[in-house]
Amino acid sequence: MAGGNGNRMRYLIVKPENGGIVDLFRFLVWNNRVCASKFVESSDDDVDDLTSWPKDHRWVIIVSIVMRKLIAVFGKPMEWAGYLFEFFLNLLSLNGDNLFALIYNFFRGKMVMPQRGSDTFISAIGHLDGRIDLDKNDLFKQLGDKPASEEKIGISMHLANRSLVDLSMMAAKLAYENANVVRNVVNQHWKMHFIDFYNCWNEFQKERSTQVFILCDKPKDADLILISFRGTEPFDADDWITDFDYSWYEFPKLGKVHMGFLEALGLGSRGNTATFSELLQMKSTKSTFFDPEQEQSSLSVDPPKQLGPEMTEMTAYFAVKSKLRQLLRKHKAAKFLVTGHSLGGALAILFPTVLVLHEEEEIMQRLLGVHTFGQPRIGDRQLGIFMEAHLEYPEPKYFRVVYCNDLVPRLPYDNKTWLYKHFGVCLYFNSLYVEQKVNEEPNKNYFGLRYLIPAYLNAGWELIRSFIMDSMYGPEYREGWLSILLRVVGLILPGISAHSPTNYVNSIRLGKMKVTEMSPL
């Protein structure tokens, strides 16, 4: 299924719901054509093309189907458990942060009940890592100081722009919270200017589940505009199914792109694959960039109406692009930064990718950078080559941060016959917070046998370390009982605990460089 074919739009959709275990077995062992057609829909009409895949290629499809089936089975219990768990965490935190205080308040008739959506209701991610203040270093405030930026040339991004990367990570973590919490943290704690919070339509999940917020460093004459996409929520089965989805759509100029991520941004629907082509081929009206009146008539937060009722809902790509255009016009010297953790990281890099495809040159000239943390792969090597020309020169603008054995950056699968590839500068941190610039994180597909024992030994070390972080690095790094509990889960599946935002905040703040060879933003 590799390679382009002129201007023909090609796609592959993995459909786990259309077959059973017997069909899976027959597909894997005998490469049965009928069973293959149950699980895979392809733009290639010849079913023999599907059954000509090598066995390791079929294994990738099988793993995707099995994982998505398992997650779907536990989807509702996960959702209910998450709802109750978050309620309990907030009930505890609002009543003295311990069980005895909660019971005492209950018998006194003074128990405080959490209100979901309020500025005191914190997500499970927020309870996992309760830090909300930015790194004390104020270098990111020098964004508008050109001489200072020039002095940084040749210095490690991690050292010279640590505060900027820290802001990116903290914003990526903050994106898991509701709009009221985000507004409060941005305005009151960070002393910045909250712009807006969006709940956008996700065509893959058939609900408004793509969240993103925007801030500026100050209300007037801003130097920085930051866009942060929410990542994979721990108890959201649909988010995890998206990460394990191997469906793709191939655009001739762009390459193959993860279909679920396109749908999360509102850029097409697998129910009508022609919508991907229509939306990805849209071009900007360049004359509108500095024309407010014309912009109001030509730029909408909604995609074209002919794409169906679901696609006319507010979608993340169109909503964010429209607001970003307005902000760049208002703040003449500002540049924008895009960030996200996990699934949010995938959307963060896909957003400027589509801006480039849509020839939004004036917007892209104002791009400061893209920082992603624990980001899954979004497409094939052709996509990487396409974007590297826009993000690598004259200086790298895209930095992909990976912590140790994090499972998510190893998804979707990448091998000699498969297509998903990472691109951009990878900043890899091991469990000692030693930073390396690498082309690819070690054990790129996670399931390598030679990494098995080291991964479990490392998980054991991380559990031990969680009890002594405060004595090693100070009270700011103390891990609570929820974080320690996740470390225990890591003894079973190290890749899950390694994905915790706690590891990424610690890596940015405590990281030590092994090799000094990176350029700053």
Side-chain angles (χ1 to χ4, degrees), residues 401-417:
V401 181
V402 176
Y403 172 78
C404 202
N405 294 316
D406 187 348
L407 170 63
V408 175
R410 276 85 174 181
L411 298 173
Y413 200 73
D414 166 25
N415 66 5
K416 293 180 181 178
T417 58

Side-chain angles (χ1 to χ4, degrees), residues 84-110:
L84 292 173
F85 188 57
E86 282 195 340
F87 181 85
F88 173 74
L89 289 175
N90 282 276
L91 183 66
L92 207 61
S93 65
L94 291 173
N95 291 276
D97 213 20
N98 67 76
L99 193 57
F100 296 108
L102 174 62
I103 295 172
Y104 180 66
N105 282 356
F106 173 77
F107 283 109
R108 293 172 62 209
K110 294 185 177 181

Side-chain angles (χ1 to χ4, degrees), residues 400 424-428 436-442 517-518:
R400 183 174 61 86
V425 177
C426 177
L427 304 180
Y428 174 78
Q436 291 178 268
K437 176 185 174 184
V438 297
N439 293 325
E440 187 82 45
E441 55 272 20
E517 53 177 319
M518 286 163 283

Side-chain angles (χ1 to χ4, degrees), residues 461-476:
W461 149 243
E462 289 175 336
L463 176 60
I464 296 170
R465 184 188 64 188
S466 66
F467 291 100
I468 56 175
M469 282 293 292
D470 55 342
S471 61
M472 292 174 65
Y473 302 111
E476 174 191 353

Side-chain angles (χ1 to χ4, degrees), residues 137-157 159-162 164 223 335 368 395 519-521:
N137 194 322
D138 290 332
L139 279 174
F140 72 88
K141 292 183 179 178
Q142 300 176 9
L143 285 167
D145 188 346
K146 187 164 181 69
S149 297
E150 291 175 349
E151 289 173 4
K152 296 175 188 175
I153 299 300
I155 306 174
S156 161
M157 183 196 74
L159 293 179
N161 284 325
R162 183 170 63 184
L164 187 62
D223 295 312
K335 292 191 174 184
L368 177 65
E395 298 171 6
S519 297
L521 292 176

Side-chain angles (χ1 to χ4, degrees), residues 67-78 237 241:
M67 290 303 298
R68 289 171 64 187
K69 279 181 173 291
L70 286 172
I71 295 170
V73 167
F74 294 103
K76 278 299 178 183
M78 281 175 62
I241 286 173

Side-chain angles (χ1 to χ4, degrees), residues 58-68 244 246 447:
R58 297 200 307 275
W59 261 113
V60 174
I61 298 294
I62 298 298
V63 170
S64 173
I65 292 169
V66 170
M67 290 303 298
R68 289 171 64 187
F244 280 97
Y246 286 79
F447 298 104

